Every structure is written in structure tokens, then in C-alpha cells.
Amino acid sequence: PQGMGTLIVSSDPSGAEVFLGGANIGQTPIEIDVPAGAHDLKLVDSGGQSKSKAVNVRKGRVSKVDVAF
């Protein structure tokens, strides 16, 4: 089993839509348990600007991503 890790995503300003692997998982700030491994994150702010980031989540660890728009 690959195990799980915790992903914490925040943005400035907050309230950006968060997409993980193409699926909308909510708005910043958000904390979610995800399978360990590489994930593609996309954040979209209220004005429609988007920022993409690759994040590697390690088993049993917390990965923090902070995006400024």
C-alpha cells in the first residue's frame, strides 16, 4: 500500500478553488488526506486566474502549498 499523507493548500487571497488531478476538492484554505505520491494541483482565484503546481506528498507527512495570486 502506498499510504496517505496530508496536503494543506492555502492562497493569498484565500477562497481560491482547488483542483487535485482535475477534480475540484474545495476552496483554500483546505487540509485533505491524499494518497502518497506526486499530484498535480491547480488553483483558480475568483477572477479566473489559475496557477498550477506539482506537489509530492510523502506517507505520514504534511505537505504545505501556498500560492500567491
Side-chain angles (χ1 to χ4, degrees):
Q2 58 187 355
M4 300 292 281
T6 301
L7 182 61
I8 297 176
V9 185
S10 57
S11 66
D12 183 19
S14 61
E17 295 288 338
V18 182
F19 295 85
L20 184 68
N24 186 328
I25 59 169
Q27 292 185 327
T28 58
I30 188 169
E31 179 175 328
I32 186 169
D33 290 329
V34 297
H39 296 276
D40 290 320
L41 267 184
K42 183 169 98 169
L43 280 74
V44 181
D45 73 3
S46 59
Q49 284 190 88
S50 70
K51 298 240 175 141
S52 296
K53 237 177 175 44
V55 60
N56 193 35
V57 178
R58 290 166 59 196
K59 180 180 173 182
R61 297 288 182 94
V62 174
S63 298
K64 293 184 179 178
V65 176
D66 187 29
V67 175
F69 284 99

